Amino acid sequence: IPSVPVKDYPKRENNFNQKYKELNYLSNSDDIYERYWVNECINSLCMNSDIRGKSKYWDELEEEARVKRVIGEKLGTNMFKYPITLKYYIDMIWECGSLVGAGRGSSCAALNHYLLGITQLDPIEWNLPFFRYMNDERVELGDIDIDICPSKKGTIVRKIKEERGNRFNSDIDEL
């Protein structure tokens, strides 16, 4: 999973109800990507007055964090970097003047994708089960399809190649 620049949030101990062990752990993690992921998700959750006080959102975010940790340990990678990297490139796609689809497939079932702005559908509101996208019995990266404006494809590919240089993965040509 490629690294992208992120804000370095300070460590914070026990900011949440003790039932949210994963969120507490991530807030105090030594890993910058884990702290970034949890802080960005929580900031987004707290900014949305329609959902911030609803325990089902906090419970879902805790479960997604748990599953990401389990999958990451099994794959030997940091699964919190995956949506952060996607957010980075989706933001870049918007900056290139392209619309980005609201979301397709099982990736819309991830609350963290909604909170990070990767998808635009609230999975709790639409009763989309996270396990369809990722679960700890299926050890793999989740598949995320991104729809963009066809007329902006060249601009987007150029921008990504410019940014990634020789590290550019030619699979992006499937855009």
Side-chain angles (χ1 to χ4, degrees):
I1 300 171
S3 295
V4 295
V6 296
K7 177 180 177 180
D8 188 1
Y9 284 96
K11 290 182 181 183
R12 297 186 295 188
E13 292 189 43
N14 300 320
N15 278 346
F16 310 104
N17 179 319
Q18 287 305 306
K19 85 179 202 178
Y20 301 120
K21 290 178 175 44
E22 289 294 330
L23 300 179
N24 277 315
Y25 173 82
L26 294 170
S27 292
N28 194 37
S29 173
D30 290 331
D31 186 278
I32 188 174
Y33 294 101
E34 290 179 349
R35 288 193 317 273
Y36 180 84
W37 181 89
V38 74
N39 278 280
E40 289 291 311
C41 287
I42 288 169
N43 289 345
S44 180
L45 187 59
C46 289
M47 295 296 291
N48 186 328
S49 61
D50 293 333
I51 64 176
R52 73 172 153 231
K54 296 181 179 175
S55 64
K56 62 185 167 186
Y57 285 85
W58 293 93
D59 294 347
E60 179 64 23
L61 190 59
E62 172 73 6
E63 175 62 7
E64 291 183 18
R66 184 194 70 75
V67 171
K68 283 184 173 299
R69 176 163 308 290
V70 169
I71 299 291
E73 288 171 0
K74 290 179 179 178
L75 290 174
T77 192
N78 184 334
M79 290 300 292
F80 298 95
K81 283 176 74 174
Y82 189 45
I84 293 167
T85 301
L86 289 167
K87 175 188 177 2
Y88 179 84
Y89 286 105
I90 286 175
D91 289 348
M92 183 184 288
I93 291 167
W94 282 108
E95 290 167 11
C96 288
S98 177
L99 295 174
V100 178
R104 283 188 8 198
S106 62
S107 67
C108 292
L111 176 62
N112 75 97
H113 293 170
Y114 174 66
L115 295 173
L116 292 171
I118 295 167
T119 60
Q120 299 167 37
L121 299 170
D122 178 343
I124 305 293
E125 181 181 332
W126 292 96
N127 296 314
L128 304 173
F130 179 68
F131 74 85
R132 296 279 315 275
Y133 171 67
M134 181 178 286
N135 65 69
D136 52 12
E137 294 177 9
R138 192 178 71 231
V139 183
E140 62 188 17
L141 290 174
D143 177 38
I144 299 181
D145 297 320
I146 301 169
D147 293 323
I148 62 169
C149 291
S151 64
K152 298 294 183 179
K153 176 184 172 186
T155 303
I156 293 165
V157 171
R158 270 191 305 285
K159 180 76 173 172
I160 293 171
K161 283 183 178 180
E162 216 173 84
E163 192 267 341
R164 296 300 298 169
N166 291 334
R167 299 169 298 170
F168 180 71
N169 182 344
S170 63
D171 290 345
I172 197 78
D173 287 330
E174 292 179 15
L175 280 171

